[in-house]
């Protein structure tokens, strides 16, 4: 089974951040996720892209203080646990501001009225203080949403 299943079953440390009902245009940051833990790494399993229009997406490693977005609370995937994620998540219904790009770590396209995803299978790791942002890079302005599935593990575990 995928490692995220064991993180959920054994420790209750698997999450989904739902970024829903975002109205976006080219160059808007639509999703932001930051690891706020000082004792755990955050492993990204996959990111889903849903859009009303055809869109070219970019995923960035970012620094700075995210602002102007809507704070969201990641959902615990193990419903028998209630351990909050040690993460800051923001949706960009008004584009998230205050970010500086460090490195592009993904590029993706989705078709109009479609959905698609990028799988990192846990290889995209956010150490304490690391963050990513999803950019609506190019396409006609429209409604979009994302799901980012991730889990946490204690530093040095595994």
């Amino acid at each position: 089974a995928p490692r995220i299943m064991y993180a959920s079953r054994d420790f209750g440390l698997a999450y989904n951040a739902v970024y829903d009902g975002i109205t976006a245009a080219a160059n808007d940051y639509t999703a932001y996720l930051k690891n706020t833990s000082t004792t755990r790494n955050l492993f990204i399993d996959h990111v889903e892209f849903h859009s009303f229009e055809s869109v070219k997406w970019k995923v960035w490693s970012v620094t700075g203080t995210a602002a102007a977005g809507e704070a969201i609370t990641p959902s615990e995937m193990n419903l028998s646990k209630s351990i909050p994620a040690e993460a800051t998540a923001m949706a960009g219904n008004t584009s998230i501001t205050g970010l500086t790009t460090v490195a592009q770590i993904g590029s993706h396209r989705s078709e109009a009225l479609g959905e698609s995803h990028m799988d990192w299978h846990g290889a995209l790791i956010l150490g304490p203080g690391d963050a990513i942002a999803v950019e609506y890079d190019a396409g006609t302005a429209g409604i979009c949403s994302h799901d980012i599935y991730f889990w946490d593990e204690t530093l040095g575990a595994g």
Side-chain angles (χ1 to χ4, degrees):
R3 194 159 178 159
I4 193 169
M5 189 282 293
Y6 294 107
S8 181
R9 182 193 71 186
D10 298 343
F11 306 107
L13 295 173
Y15 305 92
N16 180 24
V18 179
Y19 305 80
D20 202 18
I22 300 164
T23 301
N27 303 313
D28 284 352
Y29 291 114
T30 55
Y32 171 81
L33 183 64
K34 179 178 182 176
N35 180 2
T36 59
S37 177
T38 59
T39 61
R40 294 184 176 129
N41 282 325
L42 185 155
F43 295 79
I44 295 181
D45 187 64
H46 70 277
V47 177
E48 293 181 357
F49 303 87
H50 314 274
S51 60
F52 189 75
E53 304 290 344
S54 294
V55 179
K56 178 183 175 203
W57 304 96
K58 289 182 179 175
V59 180
W60 295 95
S61 168
V62 296
T63 60
T65 302
E70 173 190 353
I72 60 170
T73 302
S75 300
E76 168 70 62
M77 298 302 293
N78 182 334
L79 300 181
S80 68
K81 305 283 187 180
S82 59
I83 303 169
E86 292 183 73
T88 297
M90 295 181 84
N93 200 31
T94 55
S95 185
I96 300 163
T97 61
L99 303 178
T100 301
T101 59
V102 176
Q104 185 177 344
I105 54 177
S107 181
H108 194 71
R109 293 185 186 274
S110 59
E111 294 185 16
L113 302 175
E115 61 180 65
S116 55
H117 63 276
M118 293 181 72
D119 283 324
W120 276 284
H121 304 288
L124 178 52
I125 304 167
L126 307 184
D130 290 342
I132 63 164
V134 176
E135 178 187 359
Y136 194 107
D137 180 54
T140 304
I143 297 172
C144 65
S145 63
H146 305 287
D147 287 272
I148 300 179
Y149 293 87
F150 65 96
W151 77 91
D152 293 333
E153 289 185 16
T154 302
L155 292 173

